[in-house]
Amino acid sequence: MPVLDKNQIKKLLIQSNYIPDDNIIMTLFLALELGKPILVEGPPGTGKTELSKAVARALDRDFFRVQCYEGITFEQMVGEWNYQKQLLHLEMSRLKETNMNKLDKDVFSEEFFIKRPLLQAFINHTPSVMLIDEIDKADEEVESFLLQALGEKEITVNDLGTFQLQNDILVVLTSNSQRMLLDETRDRCLFLYINYPTPEREIEIVKALVPEAPSILVERVVGFIARIRKLDLVKKPSIRATVDWIQTLIATGKCEDGGRSLSSDQSLKNTVRVVVKSEDDLKKVNSMIFNSSD
């Protein structure tokens, strides 16, 4: 793979509709140079997951994803035996009076193993991006297994053998800090914290994602989003929520004059439910942003 400098990485990400900041560019550059995983933390909705997708698009790499959740197991990440297929194969072979000793070995071959995303990413023969999303939701046993796989570049499956890493893989782990991760995880990864963007960067992001939106509309909505995020809310609006709000205003014809009619807050107030996700949060926004008790 040709070595990319920071300017090339930035240009490729922007072409893939992801507007990075300097910290993101530097971390990606080092991860690609050193072959190290990236641990990305930050509030929900700041683009942690989208970063890995954008890197896959920008670098033309295959993309694999494991979505972690409480109780996820090794089998659900790596793979599991297809017991029904194994039993059916054995039963059909008995009917044909085939040598059973040979069959017992046959049913523990790759043909009878269902590969899940982590193993698929490891044995893929072209450069890949592997997203392990919300690793903080998995338990420490699963996290420890991932460390072994990432550190030793191999995955062992009982009765099947050991699979070696087959490609130049970039592993991205995301965390919302629901629990403390193992020190070993942090030691093996480059660390990146992604916060909510500055208004200036969010305007760039929105314009890249909704190029038809009038500039005055984008600037006004981003300004309101910045004010809303400063409130003590159960869920602060994500970047996606900003995009949704702008697309809602466009769809409802509230900016047919280029957004100038938004000099009044009424249209924004009427559609703010697009970005506010609970009734208590809505009351706070109406009271403190729109100065209304509705």
Side-chain angles (χ1 to χ4, degrees):
M1 289 288 294
V3 177
L4 297 173
D5 63 31
K6 288 177 286 185
N7 288 331
Q8 289 172 314
I9 293 171
K10 181 177 181 178
K11 181 179 178 181
L12 289 170
L13 282 174
I14 291 173
Q15 288 174 350
S16 298
N17 289 335
Y18 189 94
I19 310 300
D21 61 18
D22 291 342
N23 288 333
I24 291 172
I25 295 299
M26 176 59 77
T27 305
L28 277 175
F29 172 75
L30 292 174
L32 294 168
E33 281 284 303
L34 304 176
K36 292 179 71 69
I38 303 174
L39 171 61
V40 189
E41 292 188 340
T46 53
K48 301 188 298 297
T49 298
E50 183 58 31
L51 173 61
S52 60
K53 296 179 181 179
V55 171
R57 294 194 304 269
L59 303 185
D60 194 25
R61 292 186 173 210
D62 293 337
F63 179 74
F64 299 87
R65 176 178 182 171
V66 169
Q67 178 61 56
C68 296
Y69 52 88
E70 186 176 350
I72 191 171
T73 64
F74 168 90
E75 289 79 13
Q76 289 159 332
M77 299 179 74
V78 175
E80 57 190 323
W81 293 106
N82 188 335
Y83 295 117
Q84 289 184 331
K85 187 174 181 180
Q86 287 175 315
L87 291 172
L88 181 61
H89 182 72
L90 289 170
E91 185 61 31
M92 291 181 67
S93 300
R94 286 192 184 95
L95 295 175
K96 295 178 181 178
E97 297 182 353
T98 307
N99 185 301
M100 293 307 299
N101 289 330
K102 181 176 181 298
L103 279 172
D104 288 341
K105 296 179 181 178
D106 286 346
V107 294
F108 288 103
S109 63
E110 283 193 48
E111 178 187 354
F112 297 90
F113 192 76
I114 303 170
K115 299 181 182 70
R116 302 300 184 196
L118 185 60
L119 182 55
Q120 289 173 343
F122 256 62
I123 63 177
N124 194 42
H125 289 288
T126 56
S128 307
V129 173
M130 176 75 234
L131 168 63
I132 302 172
D133 213 7
E134 298 182 308
I135 181 62
D136 51 319
K137 289 185 177 179
D139 61 32
E140 289 190 1
E141 183 179 356
V142 169
E143 187 183 343
S144 296
F145 162 75
L146 284 173
L147 282 174
Q148 182 182 16
L150 298 177
E152 299 177 10
K153 311 293 187 190
E154 62 182 31
I155 295 175
T156 299
V157 178
N158 291 339
D159 297 317
L160 191 55
T162 297
F163 294 86
Q164 304 291 334
L165 180 64
Q166 297 295 315
N167 69 85
D168 178 20
I169 194 169
L170 173 65
V171 179
V172 179
L173 303 92
T174 72
S175 169
N176 292 324
S177 302
Q178 289 192 4
R179 69 168 176 85
M180 290 292 293
L181 299 181
L182 298 172
D183 289 341
E184 293 85 350
T185 298
R186 296 186 180 277
D187 287 343
R188 296 194 187 196
C189 297
L190 298 174
F191 179 73
L192 175 64
Y193 187 86
I194 300 181
N195 209 337
Y196 294 107
T198 62
E200 294 77 16
R201 180 167 167 249
E202 190 156 13
I203 287 171
E204 286 188 72
I205 293 169
V206 172
K207 285 182 175 179
L209 296 173
V210 195
E212 71 275 16
S215 293
I216 190 171
L217 170 68
V218 174
E219 292 167 9
R220 187 159 173 76
V221 169
V222 168
F224 267 84
I225 286 287
R227 292 170 59 192
I228 291 171
R229 286 185 184 138
K230 291 179 181 178
L231 302 179
D232 181 20
L233 302 180
V234 173
K235 183 173 187 320
K236 298 181 187 294
S238 64
I239 298 171
R240 170 51 57 188
T242 307
V243 171
D244 289 344
W245 201 3
I246 288 171
Q247 289 177 328
T248 297
L249 290 165
I250 292 173
T252 55
K254 300 302 182 183
C255 57
E256 291 176 348
D257 60 351
R260 288 180 291 277
S261 62
L262 290 175
S263 57
S264 165
D265 293 345
Q266 193 59 45
S267 295
L268 293 166
K269 180 185 174 185
N270 290 343
T271 55
V272 74
R273 285 181 178 273
V274 172
V275 300
V276 179
K277 305 300 181 179
S278 79
E279 198 62 27
D280 286 343
D281 284 354
L282 181 62
K283 290 177 181 178
K284 286 183 182 178
V285 169
N286 280 333
S287 172
M288 304 181 75
I289 301 297
F290 295 109
N291 301 313
S292 168
S293 60
D294 293 349

